[in-house]
Amino acid sequence: MEIRLFGATTVRCGCGCGRPPTDAFGGPKPQQIVEILALSAGTPVSKEKLADLLWEGRPPRSYLGTLESYVCVLRRSLARSCGDGGAAGIMTVPNGYVVVPGVVKVDLMQFRALVSAAVVNTAHDHATALSALEAALSLVKGELLASESLASWALGEREEFRDELAQAASLAAEHALALERFGAAVRLATTAVRADQFAEDAWRTMMAALWASGRRSQALHRFSQLRDLLVDELGAEPSRETTDLYLAILRGGASREAGAHRERDDAAGAEEVRILVGLLHQILTSVPGLELPPREDEVVRAAHRWVDVF
């Protein structure tokens, strides 16, 4: 049996019989039970905890009998959808229930296992780690627990998973950059930023990949976007590491590596100049004691003096 928690919660028979996936669990509470158990696949969940989550901290006095009846309904529904394997996928343990890992596959657990495998290979094998991370990210077909839009326990799980997703995508982007797969690095870093807009390491990887692939103006524009976000939302400037990368792009020309990929399009060059001047105004206004001259060419000269200091 396969339980999918990304997107609408569904269960599919894993025996290869061709049965279509189902989202019929016998009602909203039985569905929540399978979701809660799947979130902790392999680890028993007590009846008390299940009741606390199902009834948002206020279970009825007769919750024990009601909960057990919900589990019976759930098992019958799973048996209809997945045969005997469906009913066997949820086992009764002392004072609780557990999703049996050897019988049931959960996409969230598969995601975490692949990410853990990638972390093991991070230091010495970029290609293997990237492959595992891309396989993990391919499992994310939609928002976690999308079927549960209001349950507070689901909201908490979704928030925690966004951090996991951002970290996995950011790590994948770093591996892609190391392998000089610049397009993949930008795509994966973008995924990380969508999951966590404040993931500054992902922003840096995106900037570096754009720069290395010859898209210097876009790299500078990403810095501008990040700086605006941090200033507006947090009242903070980008980190020194991010600012150093920005300064390296300013100094380094059209590419991170000497002689690699030059931008030839005049429109792109004009856009780069516009972005540069705008960024210079932003950065220089934050330098204590520095008065900006009125003309743009004088601003650029002032910026060169400031960059040279660093």
Side-chain angles (χ1 to χ4, degrees):
M1 184 171 72
E2 298 176 358
I3 301 175
R4 299 184 180 179
L5 299 179
F6 294 121
T9 301
T10 57
V11 171
R12 179 188 291 272
C13 183
C15 67
C17 63
R19 291 176 181 170
T22 181
D23 58 1
F25 302 102
K29 284 290 192 286
Q31 175 176 306
Q32 290 186 342
I33 290 172
V34 77
E35 291 165 343
I36 293 168
L37 294 177
L39 287 169
S40 302
T43 302
V45 180
S46 70
K47 294 178 181 179
E48 289 79 6
K49 182 176 180 180
L50 272 171
D52 187 61
L53 295 174
L54 289 174
W55 283 283
E56 300 284 346
R58 293 182 293 177
R61 291 183 180 179
S62 59
Y63 78 84
L64 194 58
T66 304
L67 176 61
E68 290 172 350
S69 69
Y70 283 148
V71 173
C72 288
V73 169
L74 174 61
R75 281 177 167 151
R76 285 198 297 269
S77 299
L78 294 177
R80 285 195 297 269
S81 302
C82 303
D84 293 339
I90 297 178
M91 180 183 295
T92 300
V93 295
N95 195 38
Y97 305 96
V98 64
V99 163
V100 185
V103 178
V104 181
K105 293 181 181 179
V106 181
D107 54 0
L108 176 62
M109 298 300 112
Q110 291 176 295
F111 174 93
R112 288 171 173 165
L114 286 164
V115 172
S116 295
V119 170
V120 171
N121 288 287
T122 289
H124 59 277
D125 191 341
H126 293 297
T128 300
L130 178 59
S131 178
L133 288 165
E134 288 189 314
L137 294 168
S138 71
L139 294 171
V140 185
K141 304 296 187 182
E143 191 171 44
L144 181 68
L145 297 167
S147 298
E148 303 297 337
S149 59
L150 299 177
S152 60
W153 57 268
L155 294 174
E157 293 288 345
R158 268 198 296 277
E159 196 63 33
E160 287 185 18
F161 178 72
R162 287 192 189 102
D163 291 338
E164 292 183 54
L165 177 60
Q167 291 170 16
S170 182
L171 182 59
E174 291 174 13
H175 286 300
L177 180 62
L179 293 166
E180 297 187 355
R181 291 178 53 187
F182 302 128
V186 172
R187 171 177 53 81
L188 292 163
T190 300
T191 298
V193 168
R194 285 174 180 164
D196 177 8
Q197 62 179 342
F198 300 114
E200 197 169 337
D201 53 348
W203 283 96
R204 281 196 301 274
T205 302
M206 193 188 310
M207 290 168 59
L210 288 168
W211 180 24
S213 61
R215 291 176 283 176
R216 182 176 183 241
S217 61
Q218 292 183 38
L220 294 169
H221 184 56
R222 293 298 183 275
F223 178 82
S224 178
Q225 289 178 309
L226 172 61
R227 185 178 184 277
D228 288 346
L229 173 68
L230 294 178
V231 171
D232 292 345
E233 298 294 329
L234 304 179
E237 293 286 340
S239 69
R240 181 58 186 263
E241 188 176 357
T242 303
T243 302
D244 285 347
L245 175 59
Y246 162 66
L247 293 174
I249 296 172
L250 282 178
R251 295 190 189 102
S255 176
R256 200 173 83 175
E257 298 177 5
H261 306 293
R262 294 180 181 274
E263 290 178 303
R264 297 179 176 87
D265 186 79
D266 290 341
E271 175 66 9
E272 181 175 323
V273 171
R274 186 191 66 78
I275 292 171
L276 277 170
V277 173
L279 286 171
L280 290 172
H281 273 283
Q282 291 179 352
I283 294 295
L284 292 173
T285 53
S286 67
V287 177
L290 182 63
E291 295 184 5
L292 285 183
R295 291 172 47 187
E296 285 189 352
D297 59 337
E298 293 174 342
V299 170
V300 173
R301 283 196 292 273
H304 277 294
R305 291 195 298 272
W306 177 71
V307 170
D308 288 340
V309 172
F310 292 85

